[in-house]
């Protein structure tokens, strides 16, 4: 396990967007851990005061006061030999530009937390080919937990997502709303 310090300001651009954007954080620690065979076993990111905006000092589009992301492979012996990658995320004081226009809801989300499992093998083929093979192999996304506190609203949810024969999302979700 080692740590990469990503604090500061970074401008990103790429094939996914014609517009560059800037990510700035007071603290951003990336901590990958490798297995004995050199594969990534876990991947953790911890952040404080993260903001995302356009390049060249454009206003912030989104911000998170503090948060953590963890991705790790579940022990195959505990998962009926199906490859499972578990992704967990939590954040406090999250906001996106325009959230202040949501009427009675607070201008920032107090906390958001979710855990999901990506079940099934994904290969390195082009995206549509990889998704079709994942679907044919029984691939699913299991939302183990979603908890949202956006005063006065709170949400707790769990569910399952898969792809149909046209690679369109299908699923089932149970949710409790309060507030």
């Amino acid at each position: 396990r080692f740590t990469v310090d990503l604090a500061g300001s970074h401008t990103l651009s790429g094939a996914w967007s014609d517009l560059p954007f800037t990510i700035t954080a007071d603290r951003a620690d990336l901590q990958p851990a490798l297995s004995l065979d050199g594969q990534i076993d876990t991947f953790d990111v911890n952040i404080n005061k993260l903001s995302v905006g356009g390049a060249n000092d454009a206003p912030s589009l989104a911000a998170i006061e503090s948060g953590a992301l963890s991705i790790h492979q579940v022990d195959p012996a505990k998962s009926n030999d199906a490859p499972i990658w578990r992704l967990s995320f939590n954040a406090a004081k999250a906001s996106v530009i325009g959230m202040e226009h949501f009427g009675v809801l607070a201008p920032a989300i107090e906390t958001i937390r979710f855990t999901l499992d990506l079940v099934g093998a994904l290969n390195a083929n082009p995206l549509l080919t990889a998704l079709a093979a994942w679907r044919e192999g029984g691939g699913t996304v299991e939302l183990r937990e979603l908890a949202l506190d956006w005063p006065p609203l709170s949400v707790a949810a769990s569910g399952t997502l898969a792809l149909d024969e046209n690679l369109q999302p299908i699923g089932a979700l149970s949710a409790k709303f309060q507030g």
Side-chain angles (χ1 to χ4, degrees):
R1 190 177 212 47
F2 58 94
T3 300
V4 178
D5 182 357
L6 298 173
S9 184
H10 307 279
T11 300
L12 305 174
S13 62
W16 63 86
S17 172
D18 292 333
L19 301 173
F21 61 96
T22 301
I23 297 176
T24 304
D26 284 359
R27 177 179 148 237
D29 297 331
L30 169 67
Q31 298 176 325
L34 303 177
S35 63
L36 293 176
D37 62 359
Q39 300 295 313
I40 293 178
D41 190 42
T42 63
F43 185 88
D44 296 320
V45 179
N46 294 293
I47 57 170
N48 280 85
K49 295 190 175 154
L50 176 114
S51 65
V52 178
N56 302 322
D57 298 321
S60 177
L61 301 173
I64 296 174
E65 183 68 26
S66 64
L69 169 70
S70 178
I71 303 171
H72 71 276
Q73 190 166 18
V74 175
D75 181 358
K78 297 179 181 175
S79 64
N80 297 325
D81 293 325
I84 296 178
W85 284 91
R86 180 160 295 149
L87 183 142
S88 299
F89 175 78
N90 67 69
K93 304 287 185 192
S95 61
V96 176
I97 193 167
M99 285 178 68
E100 65 275 8
H101 302 295
F102 280 90
V104 299
L105 296 173
I109 295 170
E110 284 296 314
T111 58
I112 183 168
R113 179 179 70 246
F114 66 83
T115 299
L116 60 86
D117 289 348
L118 177 65
V119 180
L122 276 172
N123 57 45
N125 287 324
L127 182 60
L128 291 178
T129 304
L131 288 175
W134 176 72
R135 178 200 173 278
E136 291 301 318
T140 60
V141 174
E142 305 290 334
L143 178 61
R144 298 172 65 81
E145 171 195 39
L146 168 67
L148 173 74
D149 180 17
W150 188 1
L153 177 67
S154 64
V155 179
S158 62
T160 301
L161 182 72
L163 297 174
D164 69 12
E165 62 277 354
N166 296 315
L167 301 182
Q168 297 299 306
I170 56 173
L173 178 77
S174 296
K176 293 181 183 180
F177 295 88
Q178 185 174 348

